[in-house]
Amino acid sequence: MFHFLRRRVLTSILPLVAVLLGVFVLARLTGDPASLYLPESATPDQRAAFTERNGFDDSIWQQIADYFGGVFRLDFGESLRTGESAATMALRAFPATLQLAGATMLIAVAGAVVIGSWAAFRPNSLADRIASFLSMTAASVPDFWFAITGVWIFAVGLGALPTSGVSDGMSSWVLPVATLAIRPLGVLTQVVRGAMVSALSAPYVRLARSKGAGGVRVVSHHALRNAAAPALTVAGDLTVSLVNGAVVVETIFGWPGIGKLMIDSITGRDFAVLQATVLLTAVTIFVLNIVIDVCYALLDARVRETARV
Amino acid sequence: MSTLSDKAADGRPATGSDAPAGGAEPSAPARDSRVGLWRMLLRDRVATAAAAVLSLIVLTAVFGPLLVGSAATEQHLDNTNQPPFTFDDGWLGVLGTDPLGQSVLARLVVAARTTFSVAAPAVALALAIGALIGMWAGYHRGLRETLAMRVADIIMSFPSLLMAVVVLYVFSPSVANLVVVLAITRIPVYLRTARAESTELQSRLFVDAARTFGTSSSAIIRRHVFPIVLPTLLTLATLEFCYVMLAESSLSFLGIGIQPPDVSWGLMVSQGRSYLQTAWWLTFFPGLAIIVTTVSATVLAAWARLATDPAQRWRLTLPRRARHRTRTAPAPQEAQS
């Protein structure tokens, strides 16, 4: 398992570096950073001083080396807006997003397993219709529209939920989590349903049935474990795309998370913070992918065997 | 190839990357099968409706702006924020007016063109590049395949919206840049599908035969691989159209997509947001337009996936009642798609 982990980490480092390099070079492609950061009225002296202070007069290779050197020393530069360390800002915003994403995936996975298994177990039942409705919604309803309509109905119309912010305890979670959950829930339900349909017709389930196992036991003990592997893979991909949703949802609901910080640092042209948030997101996704692969290996004996070699 | 790297390839279940499970060679002459497809479409009422709605929207996007003329930008400051079905200013007020007195309907029609002029080229570009590289990589295998898949993995492992946000921040948000960014982020989807099918096809007998006769690999890909991969890719493209449209809407909503004075559906939702309490129709109708379009495209894609798959096509040729009955006992293949 250790061998497997090491190889997985090594193969994932490359994409990570590529993403960082891409963001770094793209950010520098805007031309002279001084004209972006300084006001129009800045004197040439001020511009020169600014360029030198931030090391923009070095060659691009030197800058890349400096940046990556800084990353290894855990020095991510300072925010140009607040003067705070970019890492502090990113890390402060991180838990809010993590909580949001965690709650969302928990609800999505639990809902998908229940609805998906039920739909597979009883085709054409109510659950089957709910499953297809959910997957249709997931593929076609824009999340920002869902969020705004939710605000309109529940916050503006009924006054039951707050329009934004995190101050109101549990009730401020309802709309953001619901908005974020529609997509993963719909997709996952479809995946679980599909995997369960094929698992339920597999020989080992027929064997379990012939030995007299009841419906619930067959589903929960025999079929679900085997249907979990594809669902897990998709759940991983969905968590990556959850960041997409988080940017939108955090902007709409004023959620002080990483997505909002990213948009703010983009509109505020704050390179260091942008890079820190992108790095943090990329590392999280990177760790997540490894965790998923390990879970995958734990679930599937065939993968475990190849991993051991 | 290990199971681990395979799992990345079929990570997206909804794309139907494995739709033609069995033999996918077109058995009938192309002309006949096209007539068959039309008849099959007309037989499925839901799919027909979806196709009709989608054609209507496309026609609106193409010719609509000519019909409404300058009504979308004409301001009537004496006639602002009128609720739907106020006809003081003619039939264009049927969906209400915005804070500048512009007709919501006229703006929707003009926005349809913008939305489509981003989504359609982006899908076409991603489809062309992804299919080419995917077929090429899958046909040749080896290093070329590994390289292409690695790059696809890198693109896929990063949230697409984030990438678009970063790129559009660096380059100014214009329609052309939007198209390029959305295309690049979606290339891997086609690439993986095309590679998976092409890998399987390159070991088939008819490809072997062509190779034995000395056909060049580019000719084999063009003549023997491409026609078989195409239906799957087109189905996928229909689904992807929804995705790209939603992505464009999200970007426009966040203020880094389509910029005013241009208008897209996503931008309209964003602009109407501050009037949520007083004028719900400003956000409701653009959102509804997006949903109607994406639902139609999804339904049509689901139909096309069945229709272009020889192993599943029989489902569509059955009378309605019988089809309903077969649903209760889904074949194992259905689980895959």
Side-chain angles (χ1 to χ4, degrees):
Chain A
M1 185 49 98
F2 177 71
H3 224 74
F4 163 70
L5 256 184
R6 197 179 57 188
R7 201 183 56 195
R8 194 64 188 75
V9 168
L10 283 179
T11 50
S12 315
I13 288 242
L14 190 68
L16 198 62
V17 172
V19 164
L20 268 189
L21 214 58
V23 171
F24 188 90
V25 172
L26 275 180
R28 260 82 190 148
L29 271 183
T30 38
D32 183 14
S35 59
L36 288 175
Y37 289 126
L38 295 183
E40 288 283 324
S41 58
T43 63
D45 281 352
Q46 283 175 317
R47 285 174 195 275
F50 174 86
T51 308
E52 178 155 0
R53 188 174 67 238
N54 289 289
F56 293 133
D57 51 350
D58 296 330
S59 72
I60 184 93
W61 299 112
Q62 181 65 40
Q63 288 185 43
I64 290 176
D66 281 349
Y67 175 66
F68 279 93
V71 167
F72 279 114
R73 281 178 280 115
L74 297 181
D75 171 17
F76 300 94
E78 278 151 16
S79 163
L80 282 147
R81 281 182 304 164
T82 62
E84 256 185 299
S85 150
T88 319
M89 289 178 74
L91 285 175
R92 194 173 50 218
F94 194 51
T97 303
L98 220 54
Q99 287 165 356
L100 197 61
T104 303
M105 280 323 271
L106 206 65
I107 288 176
V109 170
V113 166
V114 172
I115 302 174
S117 320
W118 186 12
F121 198 65
R122 295 235 182 288
N124 258 346
S125 67
L126 177 67
D128 207 359
R129 296 222 185 101
I130 293 178
S132 23
F133 175 75
L134 278 178
S135 64
M136 182 63 96
T137 317
S140 51
V141 178
D143 43 9
F144 57 88
W145 190 79
F146 187 89
I148 287 180
T149 313
V151 167
W152 174 45
I153 295 174
F154 294 105
V156 178
L158 301 175
L161 298 168
T163 48
S164 66
V166 284
S167 50
D168 289 308
M170 285 314 283
S171 63
S172 56
W173 285 71
V174 176
L175 281 178
V177 170
T179 308
L180 270 181
I182 32 170
R183 213 185 125 67
L185 182 61
V187 177
L188 268 180
T189 305
Q190 208 57 27
V191 174
V192 171
R193 184 190 165 278
M196 285 297 278
V197 164
S198 60
L200 283 174
S201 61
Y204 54 83
V205 166
R206 254 178 283 153
L207 174 71
R209 276 212 177 114
S210 67
K211 291 199 309 195
V216 175
R217 199 187 151 80
V218 164
V219 168
S220 63
H221 280 65
H222 298 273
L224 202 55
R225 191 186 158 96
N226 290 283
L232 191 67
T233 316
V234 177
D237 284 1
L238 285 172
T239 315
V240 173
S241 63
L242 207 60
V243 177
N244 288 346
V247 173
V248 173
V249 166
E250 286 176 7
T251 312
I252 292 180
F253 292 104
W255 196 270
I258 203 110
K260 189 168 185 307
L261 183 64
M262 209 172 296
I263 288 288
D264 286 350
S265 64
I266 280 173
T267 47
R269 320 205 125 167
D270 210 345
F271 278 161
V273 178
L274 176 65
Q275 280 162 9
T277 48
V278 167
L279 177 65
L280 191 58
T281 317
V283 169
T284 314
I285 291 168
F286 161 80
V287 171
L288 187 85
N289 277 333
I290 292 177
V291 170
I292 285 172
D293 276 350
V294 171
C295 292
Y296 200 77
L298 289 177
L299 267 176
D300 194 327
R302 286 164 299 181
V303 181
R304 202 158 54 224
E305 283 308 311
T306 16
R308 199 168 285 163
V309 179
Chain B
M1 179 168 273
S2 74
T3 326
L4 262 184
S5 36
D6 270 340
K7 96 178 168 56
D10 46 31
R12 283 174 56 95
T15 57
S17 58
D18 42 10
E25 297 98 310
S27 48
R31 205 184 150 73
D32 278 352
S33 75
R34 205 165 301 146
V35 172
L37 275 183
W38 270 116
R39 199 170 301 149
M40 239 190 301
L41 179 65
L42 290 178
R43 202 184 285 234
D44 193 325
R45 255 177 280 162
V46 180
T48 313
V53 169
L54 213 54
S55 332
L56 188 69
I57 296 173
V58 171
L59 286 178
T60 310
V62 176
F63 298 110
L66 299 174
L67 280 177
V68 297
S70 59
T73 48
E74 248 167 50
Q75 301 183 0
H76 297 276
L77 292 175
D78 54 335
N79 196 24
T80 60
N81 278 355
Q82 293 293 320
F85 304 110
T86 39
F87 295 101
D88 300 348
D89 237 21
W91 57 274
L92 281 170
V94 66
L95 296 182
T97 59
D98 72 357
L100 291 175
Q102 298 162 332
S103 155
V104 170
L105 176 66
R107 277 169 67 79
L108 271 181
V109 168
V110 175
R113 172 178 276 184
T114 323
T115 305
F116 274 64
S117 66
V118 171
V123 168
L125 196 63
L127 174 65
I129 298 176
L132 270 182
I133 302 180
M135 287 190 303
W136 171 79
Y139 180 79
H140 291 289
R141 312 290 314 256
L143 184 66
R144 283 170 270 201
E145 186 184 28
T146 318
L147 199 69
M149 294 311 283
R150 275 293 116 195
V151 174
D153 281 349
I154 292 179
I155 298 180
M156 281 306 260
S157 70
F158 201 66
S160 53
L161 191 66
L162 219 57
M163 191 135 75
V165 163
V166 173
V167 172
L168 290 174
Y169 155 67
V170 175
F171 305 100
S172 59
S174 66
V175 169
N177 284 343
L178 262 178
V179 167
V180 172
V181 166
L182 290 174
I184 289 176
T185 51
R186 299 319 287 171
I187 284 176
V189 179
Y190 304 97
L191 199 157
R192 286 174 171 180
T193 311
R195 187 219 54 118
E197 295 225 352
S198 168
T199 309
E200 193 255 333
L201 287 171
Q202 62 95 29
S203 60
R204 289 280 201 83
L205 200 58
F206 59 93
V207 173
D208 251 352
R211 215 181 282 133
T212 318
F213 283 117
T215 318
S216 71
S217 38
S218 62
I220 294 182
I221 290 178
R222 195 174 63 239
R223 238 181 283 157
H224 300 287
V225 177
F226 179 66
I228 299 180
V229 181
L230 189 66
T232 316
L233 287 180
L234 284 183
T235 311
L236 184 57
T238 319
L239 276 180
E240 279 293 302
F241 185 83
C242 303
Y243 188 94
V244 168
M245 217 179 82
L246 291 181
E248 179 270 316
S249 308
S250 296
L251 287 171
S252 298
F253 177 78
L254 289 171
I256 44 179
I258 300 295
Q259 301 291 316
D262 281 347
V263 57
S264 82
W265 289 339
L267 188 63
M268 284 179 76
V269 175
S270 153
Q271 287 172 338
R273 202 182 140 204
S274 35
Y275 300 94
L276 202 56
Q277 307 200 21
T278 49
W280 54 268
W281 53 93
L282 295 181
T283 49
F284 182 76
F285 289 120
L288 197 65
I290 297 175
I291 293 174
V292 167
T293 313
T294 44
V295 165
S296 313
T298 315
V299 168
L300 201 62
W303 172 84
R305 193 186 315 169
L306 285 187
T308 55
D309 183 354
Q312 304 263 325
R313 194 178 290 157
W314 57 271
R315 286 169 198 281
L316 295 172
T317 57
L318 288 175
R320 279 194 83 75
R321 195 165 299 159
R323 201 186 311 157
H324 216 71
R325 222 180 304 130
T326 55
R327 273 246 204 95
T328 51
Q333 275 155 324
E334 197 185 32
Q336 301 295 317
S337 47

